[in-house]
Amino acid sequence: MSQILLAGGAGFIGSHTAVELLDTGYEVIIADNLMNSSAKSITRIEQITGNQLKFYQLDIRDTEKLEALFQENDISTVIHFAGLKAVGESIGKPVMYYRNNIDTTLSLLECMNKYNVKNIIFSSSATVYGEENPVPYNEEMKKGSCTNPYGWTKAMMEQILEDTAKSDKSMSVIILRYFNPIGAHETGLIGEDPQGIPNNLMPCAAQTAIGIRDHLTIFGNDYDTPDGTCLRDYIHVTDLAKGHVKAVEYAQKNKGVEIFNLGTGNPYSVTEIVETFEKVNGVTVNHVYGPRRDGDLPNCYANADKAMKMLGWKTEKTLEDMCRDLWKWQQMNPNGYKD
Ligand code: NAD
Ligand code: UD1
């Protein structure tokens, strides 16, 4: 089967996608500068699958090295995960975010053009729906205004990809809008390894349960939602990864641009998921209620019908699975990939 390049593939979502692609029979090449990941994830992917992959430690923006990679291989499809993703950091360092996220996209597109690679799958985010659209979000809706530079990089990269596909009718561009990916591989061998203090809810909850952090602050319990805390569409990272395998199959058979939400369609509140984590794992997550966090929307969840209809993809894992697998990863790797 054909060779798939995972740009930024050593990270959280890329590593899980590599496992699913290898298990399906694809050849996998990962290019990553490890700025937010570890080479250990590569050996763990090989351990889980019993398959080898090719790893290039390089910055995607280094076009000389990227071209050498394209020359040495026969890539059919690129999956573009490479980017910075911390929302709060993007507000303080917008130029760094625009520079890295937009430049990686442009370098990949230039190389693809030069080496005649026609298929690209892009990691976008539900954040592009902005605050104007009502939930559940569907792909027909116009993009809204983002609350931070990270979100704007995603909206801009979607535009760049759409314009590129318009100019070259032989291309296939698949934009995947992720909702809230959490959990870890069921083996506990790969998972999310945040550097420093995690920004996202579930890594914070797991670090609190294991004692790395003293408590979790739940941001706001005065929203107009059933229990006052925000609602989100949490999706198991393995289900998300399987969505990429379906997207690869689709991209290889079709041309043009398609956008797909990857979510479960089921909203859960912050309190609900924290309580589920405690219950299924028999642990306590010390938590306090604090003020709202700037930029948070009360409610964000997907209409996931399009991915089901056109990709034949639907989620299989439950909220309990997500909590159980995250805890397994946290217990087996209390310091992430660090020794
Ligand atoms: P991650 O940080 O774990 O993975 C991204 C990888 O890209 C890292 O391994 C990092 O080292 C690499 N990278 C960044 N810039 C690079 C560069 N210039 N050259 C080479 N490698 C580079 O993040 P993730 O959670 O796996 O997310 C993957 C993609 O999905 C990102 O684009 C992210 O914005 C997007 N996304 C993530 C979420 C989420 O909740 N995790 C939600 C929506 C969208
Ligand atoms: C955020 C980003 C989104 C990005 C995603 C993955 C915003 C508005 N959205 O989504 O663009 O794609 O991360 O990186 O920033 N929470 C707490 N306490 C915590 C952390 C979070 O109560 O310590 C709450 C938040 O208020 C939110 C929910 O948990 O209601 C989920 O938060 P988080 O995991 O950060 O994801 P999002 O904010 O949904």
Side-chain angles (χ1 to χ4, degrees), residues 7-14 31-37 58-61 80-85 100-101 104 122-126 150 154 178-181 192 200:
F12 174 46
I13 301 169
D32 199 305
N33 63 0
L34 303 181
M35 73 191 292
N36 197 40
S37 50
L58 58 80
D59 192 311
I60 301 294
R61 295 170 297 174
H80 177 19
F81 299 103
L84 294 168
K85 62 162 184 176
N100 191 64
N101 291 2
T104 48
F122 174 61
S123 300
S124 190
S125 165
Y150 161 78
K154 292 292 176 198
Y178 308 155
F179 282 71
N180 287 56
E192 189 168 9
N200 297 112

Side-chain angles (χ1 to χ4, degrees), residues 12-269:
F12 174 46
I13 301 169
S15 57
H16 289 80
T17 302
V19 166
E20 298 306 321
L21 287 167
L22 286 165
D23 280 349
T24 311
Y26 289 101
E27 281 182 46
V28 170
I29 302 166
I30 288 182
D32 199 305
N33 63 0
L34 303 181
M35 73 191 292
N36 197 40
S37 50
S38 160
K40 254 195 202 162
S41 70
I42 308 291
T43 46
R44 299 277 180 90
I45 295 165
E46 292 180 336
Q47 193 182 336
I48 293 170
T49 60
N51 282 307
Q52 301 285 304
L53 59 81
K54 275 196 191 172
F55 174 54
Y56 291 77
Q57 186 170 345
L58 58 80
D59 192 311
I60 301 294
R61 295 170 297 174
D62 183 338
T63 41
E64 244 174 67
K65 287 192 182 150
L66 191 64
E67 281 205 22
L69 184 160
F70 272 79
Q71 222 156 22
E72 283 165 24
N73 297 286
D74 184 18
I75 296 159
S76 70
T77 305
V78 173
I79 311 185
H80 177 19
F81 299 103
L84 294 168
K85 62 162 184 176
V87 171
E89 185 183 53
S90 80
I91 296 169
K93 299 177 180 170
V95 175
M96 185 170 103
Y97 270 67
Y98 286 112
R99 172 62 81 195
N100 191 64
N101 291 2
I102 309 279
D103 273 4
T104 48
T105 308
L106 296 175
S107 299
L108 282 169
L109 287 171
E110 279 172 355
C111 253
M112 287 173 63
N113 185 39
K114 195 157 173 189
Y115 292 91
N116 211 29
V117 178
K118 296 295 180 184
N119 308 323
I120 182 164
I121 292 159
F122 174 61
S123 300
S124 190
S125 165
T127 197
V128 302
Y129 288 109
E131 33 201 357
E132 294 85 349
N133 286 303
V135 286
Y137 298 136
N138 70 61
E139 298 86 345
E140 300 286 297
M141 291 170 172
K142 280 210 161 75
K143 290 199 280 279
S145 1
C146 300
T147 52
N148 56 72
Y150 161 78
W152 282 117
T153 68
K154 292 292 176 198
M156 288 176 188
M157 291 185 283
E158 286 196 5
Q159 187 67 46
I160 291 168
L161 287 161
E162 285 178 24
D163 289 341
T164 309
K166 251 185 234 161
S167 75
D168 178 353
K169 301 281 184 250
S170 64
M171 280 189 80
S172 177
V173 168
I174 310 279
I175 291 168
L176 300 178
R177 292 181 178 158
Y178 308 155
F179 282 71
N180 287 56
I182 59 164
H185 194 264
E186 61 185 7
T187 57
L189 288 171
I190 53 171
E192 189 168 9
D193 179 18
Q195 317 288 306
I197 298 169
N199 302 290
N200 297 112
L201 174 66
M202 291 316 284
C204 268
Q207 288 194 358
T208 305
I210 210 159
I212 295 174
R213 294 166 63 79
D214 173 61
H215 67 276
L216 167 79
T217 303
I218 294 184
F219 299 138
N221 58 351
D222 57 350
Y223 286 99
D224 184 15
T225 59
D227 66 16
T229 64
C230 294
L231 298 168
R232 293 288 182 276
D233 187 338
Y234 298 96
I235 172 170
H236 195 295
V237 63
T238 296
D239 277 334
L240 188 78
K242 288 183 175 165
H244 292 71
V245 178
K246 296 286 189 185
V248 167
E249 286 162 8
Y250 186 91
Q252 295 190 345
K253 286 191 204 123
N254 298 277
K255 298 191 189 321
V257 183
E258 286 297 345
I259 301 175
F260 295 103
N261 286 340
L262 294 185
T264 66
N266 304 315
Y268 289 100
S269 79

